Amino acid sequence: METTHVNARVKKHRDTLRMAGLRPVQIWVPDTRRPDFAEECRRQCLLIAQADKADISMQQLMDEALADSDGWME
């Protein structure tokens, strides 16, 4: 049966990853197929934009962090 072959390959792959010191983690993410997804993104972006306007120190922190990244991508 082909399913058994696939299961064996997946198990071998997972065992290899575990031997490399990794472990599986399950995460839940927003469902981008939901009809209200785009509107929720817009709502959250507007909240963030409002917070950014009110907190100048955050923009300064981000600018400093960006300036400190020289040489990271060489």
Side-chain angles (χ1 to χ4, degrees):
M1 186 177 260
E2 188 173 324
T3 304
T4 304
H5 177 66
V6 171
N7 290 346
R9 280 193 356 234
V10 170
K11 182 180 180 339
K12 180 180 176 186
H13 177 69
R14 289 180 178 174
D15 289 344
T16 301
L17 292 172
R18 283 187 180 101
M19 288 175 55
L22 302 174
R23 67 183 180 106
V25 176
Q26 180 179 9
I27 61 170
W28 290 83
V29 297
D31 186 351
T32 58
R33 300 168 295 182
R34 289 181 53 138
D36 62 341
F37 178 80
E39 181 56 36
E40 180 61 17
C41 286
R42 179 171 165 35
R43 184 188 73 78
Q44 290 183 23
C45 287
L46 290 173
L47 288 172
I48 292 168
Q50 289 172 354
D52 284 349
K53 285 181 185 177
D55 187 2
I56 296 171
S57 63
M58 178 58 76
Q59 186 59 47
Q60 291 171 338
L61 175 68
M62 297 296 283
D63 290 341
E64 290 170 10
L66 182 60
D68 191 34
S69 65
D70 291 340
W72 285 14
M73 299 299 286
E74 292 179 5

Coordinates of all heavy atoms in Angstrom, one line a residue:
M1 N 0.8 -1.2 0.0 CA 0.0 0.0 0.0 C 0.9 1.2 0.0 O 1.9 1.3 0.7 CB -0.9 0.0 1.2 CG -1.9 1.1 1.2 SD -3.0 0.9 2.7 CE -4.4 0.2 1.9
E2 N 0.6 2.2 -0.8 CA 1.4 3.4 -1.0 C 1.4 4.3 0.3 O 2.4 4.9 0.6 CB 0.9 4.3 -2.1 CG 1.8 5.4 -2.5 CD 1.4 6.2 -3.7 OE1 0.9 5.5 -4.7 OE2 1.6 7.4 -3.7
T3 N 0.3 4.3 1.1 CA 0.2 5.1 2.3 C 1.3 4.6 3.3 O 1.9 5.5 3.9 CB -1.2 4.9 2.9 OG1 -2.2 5.3 2.0 CG2 -1.3 5.8 4.1
T4 N 1.5 3.4 3.4 CA 2.5 2.8 4.3 C 3.9 3.4 3.9 O 4.7 3.8 4.7 CB 2.5 1.3 4.3 OG1 1.2 0.9 4.6 CG2 3.5 0.7 5.3
H5 N 4.2 3.4 2.6 CA 5.5 3.9 2.1 C 5.6 5.4 2.5 O 6.7 5.8 2.9 CB 5.5 3.7 0.6 CG 6.8 4.3 0.0 ND1 8.0 3.8 0.2 CD2 7.0 5.3 -0.9 CE1 8.9 4.5 -0.4 NE2 8.3 5.4 -1.1
V6 N 4.6 6.2 2.3 CA 4.6 7.6 2.6 C 4.8 7.8 4.1 O 5.6 8.6 4.6 CB 3.4 8.3 2.1 CG1 3.3 9.7 2.7 CG2 3.3 8.3 0.6
N7 N 4.1 7.0 4.9 CA 4.2 7.1 6.4 C 5.7 6.8 6.8 O 6.2 7.4 7.7 CB 3.3 6.1 7.0 CG 1.8 6.6 6.9 OD1 1.6 7.7 6.6 ND2 0.9 5.7 7.2
A8 N 6.3 5.8 6.2 CA 7.7 5.4 6.5 C 8.6 6.5 6.2 O 9.5 6.8 6.9 CB 8.1 4.1 5.8
R9 N 8.4 7.2 5.0 CA 9.3 8.3 4.6 C 9.1 9.5 5.6 O 10.1 10.1 6.0 CB 8.9 8.8 3.2 CG 9.5 7.9 2.1 CD 9.5 8.5 0.7 NE 8.8 9.8 0.6 CZ 7.8 10.0 -0.2 NH1 7.3 9.1 -1.0 NH2 7.2 11.2 -0.2
V10 N 7.9 9.7 6.0 CA 7.6 10.8 6.9 C 8.3 10.5 8.3 O 8.9 11.4 8.9 CB 6.1 11.1 7.1 CG1 5.8 12.1 8.2 CG2 5.6 11.6 5.8
K11 N 8.1 9.3 8.7 CA 8.7 8.9 10.0 C 10.2 9.0 9.9 O 10.9 9.6 10.9 CB 8.3 7.5 10.4 CG 8.9 7.0 11.7 CD 8.5 5.6 12.1 CE 9.0 5.1 13.4 NZ 10.2 5.8 14.0
K12 N 10.9 8.6 8.9 CA 12.3 8.7 8.7 C 12.7 10.2 8.7 O 13.7 10.5 9.4 CB 12.7 8.0 7.4 CG 14.2 8.1 7.2 CD 14.6 7.4 5.8 CE 16.1 7.6 5.6 NZ 16.5 7.1 4.3
H13 N 12.0 11.0 8.0 CA 12.3 12.4 8.0 C 12.2 13.0 9.4 O 13.1 13.8 9.8 CB 11.4 13.1 7.0 CG 11.6 14.6 6.9 ND1 12.7 15.2 6.4 CD2 10.8 15.7 7.3 CE1 12.7 16.5 6.5 NE2 11.5 16.8 7.0
R14 N 11.2 12.7 10.1 CA 11.0 13.3 11.4 C 12.0 12.7 12.4 O 12.5 13.5 13.2 CB 9.6 12.9 12.0 CG 8.5 13.7 11.2 CD 7.1 13.3 11.8 NE 6.1 14.2 11.1 CZ 4.8 14.0 11.2 NH1 4.4 13.1 12.1 NH2 4.0 14.8 10.6
D15 N 12.4 11.5 12.3 CA 13.4 10.9 13.1 C 14.8 11.6 12.9 O 15.5 11.9 13.8 CB 13.6 9.4 12.9 CG 12.4 8.6 13.4 OD1 11.6 9.2 14.3 OD2 12.3 7.4 13.0
T16 N 15.1 11.9 11.6 CA 16.3 12.6 11.3 C 16.3 14.0 11.9 O 17.3 14.5 12.4 CB 16.4 12.8 9.7 OG1 16.4 11.5 9.2 CG2 17.7 13.5 9.3
L17 N 15.2 14.7 11.8 CA 15.1 16.0 12.4 C 15.2 16.0 14.0 O 15.9 16.8 14.6 CB 13.7 16.7 12.1 CG 13.6 17.1 10.6 CD1 12.2 17.5 10.3 CD2 14.6 18.1 10.2
R18 N 14.6 15.0 14.6 CA 14.8 14.8 16.0 C 16.2 14.5 16.4 O 16.7 15.0 17.4 CB 13.9 13.7 16.5 CG 12.4 14.1 16.6 CD 11.6 13.0 17.3 NE 10.2 13.4 17.4 CZ 9.2 13.1 16.5 NH1 9.5 12.2 15.6 NH2 8.0 13.5 16.7
M19 N 16.9 13.7 15.6 CA 18.3 13.4 15.9 C 19.2 14.7 15.7 O 20.2 14.8 16.3 CB 18.8 12.3 14.9 CG 18.3 10.9 15.3 SD 18.7 9.6 14.1 CE 20.5 9.8 14.1
A20 N 18.7 15.6 14.9 CA 19.4 16.9 14.8 C 19.1 17.9 15.9 O 19.6 19.0 15.9 CB 19.1 17.5 13.4
G21 N 18.3 17.4 16.9 CA 18.0 18.3 18.0 C 16.7 19.1 17.9 O 16.5 20.0 18.7
L22 N 15.9 18.8 16.9 CA 14.7 19.6 16.6 C 13.5 18.8 17.2 O 13.6 17.6 17.3 CB 14.5 19.9 15.2 CG 15.7 20.6 14.5 CD1 15.5 20.7 13.0 CD2 15.8 22.0 15.1
R23 N 12.4 19.5 17.4 CA 11.2 18.8 17.8 C 10.0 19.5 17.1 O 10.1 20.7 16.8 CB 11.0 18.9 19.3 CG 10.7 20.2 19.9 CD 10.6 20.1 21.4 NE 10.4 21.4 22.0 CZ 9.2 21.8 22.5 NH1 8.2 21.0 22.5 NH2 9.1 23.0 23.0
P24 N 9.0 18.8 16.8 CA 7.8 19.3 16.1 C 7.0 20.3 17.1 O 6.9 20.0 18.3 CB 7.0 18.1 15.7 CG 7.4 17.1 16.7 CD 8.8 17.3 17.1
V25 N 6.5 21.3 16.5 CA 5.6 22.3 17.2 C 4.4 22.5 16.4 O 4.5 22.8 15.2 CB 6.4 23.6 17.5 CG1 5.5 24.6 18.2 CG2 7.7 23.3 18.3
Q26 N 3.3 22.5 17.0 CA 2.0 22.9 16.3 C 1.6 24.3 16.7 O 1.6 24.7 17.9 CB 0.9 21.9 16.7 CG -0.4 22.2 16.0 CD -1.5 21.3 16.4 OE1 -1.3 20.5 17.4 NE2 -2.6 21.3 15.8
I27 N 1.4 25.1 15.7 CA 0.9 26.5 15.9 C -0.4 26.7 15.2 O -0.7 26.1 14.2 CB 2.0 27.5 15.5 CG1 2.2 27.4 14.0 CG2 3.3 27.4 16.3 CD1 3.1 28.6 13.4
W28 N -1.1 27.6 15.7 CA -2.4 28.0 15.1 C -2.2 29.4 14.5 O -1.7 30.3 15.2 CB -3.5 28.0 16.2 CG -3.9 26.6 16.6 CD1 -3.2 25.9 17.6 CD2 -4.9 25.8 16.1 NE1 -3.8 24.7 17.7 CE2 -4.9 24.6 16.8 CE3 -5.9 26.0 15.1 CZ2 -5.7 23.6 16.6 CZ3 -6.8 25.0 14.9 CH2 -6.7 23.8 15.6
V29 N -2.6 29.5 13.3 CA -2.5 30.8 12.6 C -3.9 31.2 12.1 O -4.8 30.4 11.9 CB -1.5 30.7 11.4 CG1 -0.1 30.4 11.9 CG2 -1.9 29.7 10.4
P30 N -4.1 32.5 11.8 CA -5.4 33.0 11.3 C -5.7 32.3 10.0 O -4.8 32.1 9.1 CB -5.2 34.5 11.1 CG -4.1 34.8 12.0 CD -3.2 33.6 12.1
D31 N -7.0 32.0 9.8 CA -7.4 31.4 8.5 C -7.7 32.5 7.5 O -8.6 33.3 7.6 CB -8.7 30.6 8.8 CG -9.2 29.9 7.5 OD1 -8.6 30.1 6.4 OD2 -10.2 29.1 7.7
T32 N -6.8 32.6 6.5 CA -6.8 33.7 5.5 C -8.0 33.5 4.5 O -8.3 34.4 3.8 CB -5.5 33.7 4.7 OG1 -5.3 32.5 4.1 CG2 -4.3 34.1 5.6
R33 N -8.7 32.4 4.6 CA -9.8 32.1 3.7 C -11.1 32.7 4.3 O -12.2 32.7 3.6 CB -10.0 30.6 3.5 CG -8.7 30.0 2.8 CD -8.8 28.5 2.8 NE -8.7 28.1 4.3 CZ -8.7 26.8 4.6 NH1 -8.8 25.9 3.8 NH2 -8.7 26.5 5.9
R34 N -11.1 33.1 5.5 CA -12.4 33.6 6.2 C -12.8 34.9 5.5 O -12.0 35.7 5.1 CB -12.2 33.9 7.6 CG -12.0 32.6 8.5 CD -11.8 33.0 9.9 NE -12.9 33.9 10.3 CZ -13.6 33.8 11.5 NH1 -13.2 32.9 12.3 NH2 -14.5 34.6 11.8
P35 N -14.1 35.1 5.3 CA -14.5 36.3 4.7 C -14.2 37.6 5.4 O -14.0 38.7 4.8 CB -16.1 36.2 4.6 CG -16.4 34.9 5.3 CD -15.1 34.2 5.7
D36 N -14.0 37.6 6.7 CA -13.7 38.8 7.5 C -12.2 39.0 7.7 O -11.8 39.9 8.4 CB -14.4 38.7 8.8 CG -14.0 37.6 9.7 OD1 -13.5 36.6 9.2 OD2 -14.3 37.6 10.9
F37 N -11.4 38.1 7.1 CA -9.9 38.2 7.3 C -9.3 39.5 6.9 O -8.6 40.2 7.7 CB -9.2 37.1 6.6 CG -7.7 37.1 6.8 CD1 -7.1 36.6 8.0 CD2 -6.9 37.7 5.8 CE1 -5.7 36.7 8.1 CE2 -5.5 37.7 6.0 CZ -4.9 37.2 7.2
A38 N -9.6 40.0 5.7 CA -9.1 41.3 5.2 C -9.5 42.4 6.1 O -8.7 43.3 6.4 CB -9.5 41.5 3.8
E39 N -10.7 42.4 6.5 CA -11.2 43.5 7.3 C -10.6 43.5 8.7 O -10.2 44.6 9.3 CB -12.8 43.5 7.5 CG -13.4 44.6 8.3 CD -13.0 46.0 7.8 OE1 -12.9 46.2 6.6 OE2 -12.8 46.9 8.6
E40 N -10.3 42.4 9.3 CA -9.7 42.3 10.5 C -8.2 42.7 10.4 O -7.7 43.4 11.3 CB -9.7 40.8 11.1 CG -9.1 40.6 12.4 CD -9.6 41.5 13.6 OE1 -10.8 42.0 13.5 OE2 -8.9 41.6 14.6
C41 N -7.6 42.4 9.3 CA -6.2 42.9 9.1 C -6.2 44.4 9.0 O -5.3 45.1 9.6 CB -5.6 42.3 7.8 SG -5.2 40.6 7.9
R42 N -7.1 45.0 8.3 CA -7.2 46.4 8.2 C -7.4 47.0 9.6 O -6.8 48.0 9.9 CB -8.4 46.8 7.2 CG -8.6 48.2 7.0 CD -9.6 48.5 5.9 NE -10.2 49.8 5.7 CZ -9.7 51.0 5.9 NH1 -8.5 51.1 6.4 NH2 -10.4 52.0 5.7
R43 N -8.3 46.5 10.4 CA -8.6 47.0 11.7 C -7.4 47.0 12.6 O -7.1 48.0 13.2 CB -9.7 46.2 12.3 CG -10.2 46.7 13.7 CD -11.2 45.7 14.4 NE -10.5 44.6 14.9 CZ -9.8 44.6 16.0 NH1 -9.6 45.7 16.8 NH2 -9.2 43.5 16.5
Q44 N -6.7 45.9 12.5 CA -5.5 45.8 13.4 C -4.4 46.8 12.9 O -3.7 47.4 13.7 CB -5.0 44.4 13.4 CG -5.9 43.5 14.2 CD -5.3 42.1 14.3 OE1 -4.2 41.8 14.2 NE2 -6.2 41.1 14.6
C45 N -4.2 46.9 11.6 CA -3.2 47.8 11.0 C -3.5 49.3 11.4 O -2.6 50.0 11.7 CB -3.2 47.7 9.5 SG -2.4 46.2 8.9
L46 N -4.8 49.6 11.4 CA -5.2 51.0 11.8 C -4.9 51.2 13.3 O -4.4 52.3 13.6 CB -6.7 51.3 11.5 CG -7.0 51.4 10.0 CD1 -8.5 51.4 9.9 CD2 -6.4 52.6 9.4
L47 N -5.1 50.2 14.1 CA -4.8 50.4 15.5 C -3.3 50.5 15.7 O -2.8 51.4 16.5 CB -5.3 49.1 16.3 CG -6.8 49.0 16.5 CD1 -7.1 47.7 17.1 CD2 -7.3 50.1 17.4
I48 N -2.5 49.8 15.0 CA -1.1 49.9 15.1 C -0.6 51.2 14.6 O 0.3 51.9 15.2 CB -0.4 48.7 14.3 CG1 -0.6 47.4 15.0 CG2 1.1 49.0 14.1 CD1 -0.3 46.2 14.1
A49 N -1.1 51.7 13.5 CA -0.8 53.0 13.0 C -1.1 54.1 14.0 O -0.3 55.0 14.2 CB -1.5 53.3 11.6
Q50 N -2.2 54.0 14.6 CA -2.6 55.0 15.6 C -1.6 55.0 16.8 O -1.2 56.0 17.3 CB -4.0 54.8 16.1 CG -5.1 55.1 15.1 CD -6.5 54.7 15.5 OE1 -6.6 54.1 16.6 NE2 -7.5 55.1 14.8
A51 N -1.3 53.8 17.2 CA -0.3 53.6 18.4 C 1.0 54.2 18.0 O 1.7 54.8 18.8 CB -0.2 52.2 18.8
D52 N 1.5 53.9 16.7 CA 2.8 54.4 16.3 C 2.8 55.9 16.3 O 3.8 56.5 16.6 CB 3.1 53.9 14.9 CG 3.5 52.4 14.9 OD1 3.8 51.9 16.0 OD2 3.6 51.8 13.8
K53 N 1.7 56.6 15.9 CA 1.7 58.0 15.8 C 1.8 58.6 17.3 O 2.4 59.7 17.5 CB 0.4 58.5 15.2 CG 0.4 58.4 13.7 CD -0.9 58.9 13.1 CE -1.0 58.7 11.6 NZ -2.3 59.1 11.1
A54 N 1.2 57.9 18.2 CA 1.2 58.4 19.6 C 2.5 58.1 20.3 O 2.8 58.7 21.4 CB 0.0 57.7 20.3
D55 N 3.3 57.2 19.8 CA 4.6 56.8 20.5 C 5.8 57.0 19.6 O 6.3 56.2 18.9 CB 4.5 55.3 20.9 CG 5.6 54.8 21.8 OD1 6.5 55.7 22.1 OD2 5.6 53.6 22.1
I56 N 6.3 58.2 19.7 CA 7.5 58.6 18.9 C 8.7 57.8 19.3 O 9.6 57.5 18.5 CB 7.7 60.1 19.0 CG1 6.5 60.9 18.5 CG2 9.0 60.5 18.4 CD1 6.5 62.4 18.7
S57 N 8.8 57.5 20.6 CA 10.0 56.7 21.1 C 10.1 55.4 20.4 O 11.2 54.9 20.2 CB 10.0 56.6 22.6 OG 8.9 55.8 23.0
M58 N 9.0 54.8 20.0 CA 9.1 53.5 19.3 C 9.7 53.7 17.9 O 10.5 52.8 17.5 CB 7.7 52.9 19.2 CG 7.6 51.6 18.4 SD 8.7 50.3 19.1 CE 7.7 49.8 20.5
Q59 N 9.3 54.7 17.2 CA 9.9 55.0 15.9 C 11.4 55.2 16.0 O 12.2 54.8 15.2 CB 9.2 56.2 15.2 CG 9.7 56.4 13.8 CD 9.5 55.2 12.9 OE1 8.4 54.6 12.9 NE2 10.5 54.8 12.2
Q60 N 11.8 55.9 17.1 CA 13.2 56.2 17.3 C 14.0 54.9 17.6 O 15.1 54.6 17.1 CB 13.4 57.1 18.5 CG 13.0 58.6 18.2 CD 13.0 59.4 19.4 OE1 12.9 59.0 20.6 NE2 13.0 60.7 19.2
L61 N 13.3 54.0 18.4 CA 13.9 52.7 18.6 C 14.1 51.9 17.4 O 15.1 51.2 17.1 CB 13.1 51.9 19.6 CG 13.5 50.5 19.9 CD1 14.8 50.4 20.7 CD2 12.5 49.7 20.7
M62 N 13.1 51.9 16.5 CA 13.1 51.2 15.2 C 14.2 51.7 14.3 O 14.9 51.0 13.7 CB 11.8 51.2 14.5 CG 10.6 50.5 15.3 SD 10.9 48.8 15.6 CE 10.5 48.2 14.0
D63 N 14.3 53.1 14.3 CA 15.4 53.7 13.5 C 16.8 53.3 14.0 O 17.7 53.0 13.2 CB 15.2 55.2 13.5 CG 14.0 55.7 12.7 OD1 13.5 54.9 11.9 OD2 13.6 56.8 12.9
E64 N 16.9 53.3 15.3 CA 18.2 52.9 15.9 C 18.5 51.4 15.6 O 19.7 51.0 15.2 CB 18.2 53.1 17.4 CG 18.2 54.6 17.7 CD 18.0 54.8 19.2 OE1 18.0 53.8 20.0 OE2 17.8 55.9 19.6
A65 N 17.5 50.6 15.7 CA 17.7 49.1 15.4 C 18.1 48.9 13.9 O 19.0 48.1 13.6 CB 16.4 48.3 15.7
L66 N 17.5 49.7 13.0 CA 17.8 49.6 11.6 C 19.2 50.1 11.3 O 19.9 49.4 10.5 CB 16.8 50.4 10.8 CG 16.9 50.4 9.3 CD1 16.8 49.0 8.7 CD2 15.9 51.3 8.6
A67 N 19.6 51.1 12.0 CA 21.0 51.6 11.8 C 22.0 50.6 12.3 O 23.1 50.6 11.8 CB 21.1 53.0 12.5
D68 N 21.6 49.9 13.3 CA 22.5 48.9 13.9 C 22.6 47.6 13.1 O 23.4 46.7 13.5 CB 22.1 48.6 15.4 CG 23.1 47.8 16.2 OD1 24.3 48.1 15.9 OD2 22.7 47.0 17.0
S69 N 21.9 47.5 12.0 CA 21.9 46.2 11.3 C 22.9 46.2 10.2 O 23.0 45.2 9.4 CB 20.5 45.9 10.7 OG 20.2 46.9 9.8
D70 N 23.8 47.2 10.0 CA 24.8 47.3 9.0 C 25.7 46.0 9.1 O 26.2 45.7 10.2 CB 25.6 48.5 9.1 CG 24.8 49.8 8.7 OD1 23.8 49.6 8.0 OD2 25.2 50.9 9.1
G71 N 25.9 45.4 8.0 CA 26.8 44.3 7.9 C 26.2 42.9 8.2 O 26.8 41.9 8.1
W72 N 24.9 42.9 8.5 CA 24.2 41.6 8.8 C 24.0 40.8 7.5 O 24.0 39.6 7.6 CB 22.8 41.9 9.4 CG 22.9 42.3 10.8 CD1 23.9 42.8 11.6 CD2 21.8 42.4 11.7 NE1 23.6 43.1 12.8 CE2 22.2 42.8 13.0 CE3 20.4 42.1 11.6 CZ2 21.4 43.0 14.1 CZ3 19.6 42.2 12.7 CH2 20.1 42.7 13.9
M73 N 23.8 41.5 6.4 CA 23.4 40.7 5.2 C 24.6 40.7 4.2 O 24.4 40.6 3.0 CB 22.2 41.4 4.5 CG 21.0 41.4 5.4 SD 20.4 39.8 5.8 CE 19.7 39.3 4.3
E74 N 25.8 40.7 4.7 CA 26.9 40.7 3.7 C 27.4 39.3 3.5 O 27.2 38.3 4.2 CB 28.1 41.5 4.3 CG 27.7 43.0 4.3 CD 28.8 43.8 4.8 OE1 29.9 43.3 5.1 OE2 28.6 45.0 4.9

